[in-house]
């Protein structure tokens, strides 16, 4: 496959995987957790390097996932102690990310771990790092994202009803005897894995954009969870593909252009959505008011 093809596939996989996970984040009103985890995984990556002195291997993945789970635990713990949820996210997010930045600036300053790469990523380099899988050469990042997408789809299908109930009515979930906290931490582990798989390829900024914006766009088009999941994944993939060609046209950052296109898709949705869009409010103001 061509160099361009691998970039498009990898970007689309990021969009699809993040779109599916992001739909639940939007419904649970936890959009800022995506921002927090996508930044605090940096601390896990740095600590993994300090322990092993190597930038290759599964330990980097384990460290990043551990940082994501730690972020989730600390946010939930502070919230359970009376701290507002948004404040908990802000405190944990800024503190752990700042610690990661400090460690990069001091302990690993002479190694190829830099803040700019962590924030923006460089998807253009993805096709050069390959492995042989079933006789085919495939970029490592693409293979990782394929595996993560399979894991996400498995758990979404396996716990579809449970996560649907806990997302829309946590009190009902508790009354039905569902293990709400276990399901919460399982879901946040999926968020961490998705974030980590996307982090090296596209950086923190695009991960946040892909986790939040396609899902927010899909939310404007439908009231059904199943359709929202499909639309969110489709909007994520579309944004990645459009973003690549916009980057070529502008001769700019590929990841940044992909993130920009998620905003463009949201703007179109915000204007054209049949039930929540600006046009529908102008054309049918009374019906829109009743629907709300």
């Amino acid at each position: 496959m061509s160099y361009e093809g691998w970039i498009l596939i990898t970007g689309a996989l990021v969009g699809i995987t993040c779109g599916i996970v992001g739909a639940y984040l939007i419904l649970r009103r936890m959009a800022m957790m995506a921002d927090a985890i996508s930044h605090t995984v940096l601390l896990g990556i740095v600590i993994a390097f300090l322990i092993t002195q190597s930038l290759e291997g599964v330990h980097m993945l384990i460290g990043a996932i551990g940082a994501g789970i730690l972020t989730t635990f600390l946010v939930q713990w502070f919230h359970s102690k009376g701290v507002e949820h948004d404040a908990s996210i802000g405190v944990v997010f800024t503190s752990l990310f700042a610690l990661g930045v400090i460690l990069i600036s001091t302990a690993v300053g002479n190694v190829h771990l830099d803040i700019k790469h962590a924030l923006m990523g460089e998807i253009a380099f993805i096709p050069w790092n390959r492995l042989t899988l079933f006789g085919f050469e495939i970029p490592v990042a693409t293979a990782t994202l394929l595996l993560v997408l399979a894991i996400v789809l498995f758990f979404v299908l396996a716990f579809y009803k449970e996560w649907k109930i806990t997302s829309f009515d946590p009190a009902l979930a508790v009354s039905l005897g569902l293990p709400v906290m276990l399901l919460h931490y399982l879901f946040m582990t999926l968020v961490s894995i998705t974030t980590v798989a996307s982090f090296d390829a596209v950086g923190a900024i695009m991960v946040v954009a892909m986790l939040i914006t396609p899902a927010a766009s899909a939310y404007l088009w439908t009231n059904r969870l199943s359709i929202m999941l499909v639309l969110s994944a489709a909007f994520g993939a579309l944004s990645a593909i459009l973003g690549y060609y916009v980057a070529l046209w502008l001769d700019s950052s590929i990841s940044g252009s992909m993130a920009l296109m998620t905003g463009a898709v949201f703007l179109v949705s915000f204007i054209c959505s049949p039930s929540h869009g600006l046009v529908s409010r102008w054309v049918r103001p009374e019906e829109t008011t009743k629907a709300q």
Side-chain angles (χ1 to χ4, degrees):
M1 184 174 290
S2 67
Y3 170 86
E4 178 183 275
W6 284 124
I7 293 178
L8 289 172
I9 289 175
T10 304
L13 285 172
V14 172
I16 293 170
T17 309
C18 289
I20 294 171
V21 173
Y24 285 103
L25 284 173
I26 292 294
L27 293 175
R28 291 166 176 253
R29 294 178 173 83
M30 298 178 66
M32 290 309 298
M33 279 299 295
D35 193 15
I37 291 177
S38 66
H39 284 75
T40 56
V41 294
L42 178 66
L43 176 62
I45 292 172
V46 176
I47 291 176
F49 170 77
L50 291 176
I51 294 173
T52 64
Q53 294 298 306
S54 173
L55 291 173
E56 303 292 337
V58 71
H59 57 273
M60 302 295 284
L61 180 65
I62 294 173
I65 292 174
I69 296 173
L70 176 64
T71 301
T72 303
F73 173 79
L74 289 176
V75 168
Q76 189 67 32
W77 185 77
F78 280 123
H79 182 54
S80 68
K81 298 301 180 181
V83 180
E84 290 293 329
H85 194 259
D86 290 345
S88 300
I89 293 174
V91 170
V92 175
F93 160 33
T94 53
S95 299
L96 295 186
F97 180 62
L99 181 57
V101 170
I102 290 172
L103 289 176
I104 281 184
S105 302
T106 55
V108 295
N110 295 322
V111 182
H112 183 58
L113 271 176
D114 61 90
I115 299 169
K116 180 180 178 181
H117 178 75
L119 292 176
M120 294 300 298
E122 191 44 79
I123 196 171
F125 294 157
I126 289 301
W128 303 116
N129 184 18
R130 302 192 183 194
L131 57 79
T132 302
L133 192 65
F134 303 116
F136 297 95
E137 284 195 350
I138 180 172
V140 174
T142 308
T144 303
L145 285 164
L146 280 170
L147 176 61
V148 170
L149 176 58
I151 293 172
V152 167
L153 287 175
F154 171 79
F155 280 102
V156 166
L157 292 174
F159 296 99
Y160 179 80
K161 292 181 179 179
E162 289 80 0
W163 279 340
K164 182 176 182 179
I165 295 173
T166 56
S167 296
F168 285 102
D169 195 341
L172 175 62
V174 172
S175 67
L176 292 174
L178 294 178
V180 175
M181 290 308 301
L182 178 61
L183 290 170
H184 170 73
Y185 283 114
L186 176 59
F187 171 69
M188 294 313 298
T189 300
L190 277 188
V191 175
S192 299
I193 293 173
T194 301
T195 301
V196 171
S198 308
F199 186 84
D200 184 56
V202 298
I205 292 176
M206 184 177 162
V207 172
V208 175
M210 285 295 187
L211 280 170
I212 298 174
T213 319
S217 301
Y219 183 80
L220 295 173
W221 288 96
T222 182
N223 293 320
R224 294 183 59 185
L225 176 59
S226 58
I227 297 177
M228 182 179 175
L229 290 170
V230 173
L231 284 177
S232 183
F235 287 156
L238 177 64
S239 299
I241 294 170
L242 291 177
Y244 176 76
Y245 290 108
V246 168
L248 291 183
W249 175 48
L250 298 176
D251 190 22
S252 64
S253 164
I254 297 175
S255 296
S257 297
M258 289 179 175
L260 177 63
M261 284 300 99
T262 65
V265 170
F266 176 80
L267 182 61
V268 171
S269 300
F270 184 70
I271 294 173
C272 301
S273 168
S275 56
H276 301 286
L278 290 180
V279 173
S280 65
R281 297 185 185 211
W282 292 335
V283 175
R284 303 187 306 274
E286 293 183 2
E287 294 181 15
T288 305
T289 303
K290 290 179 181 179
Q292 292 176 340

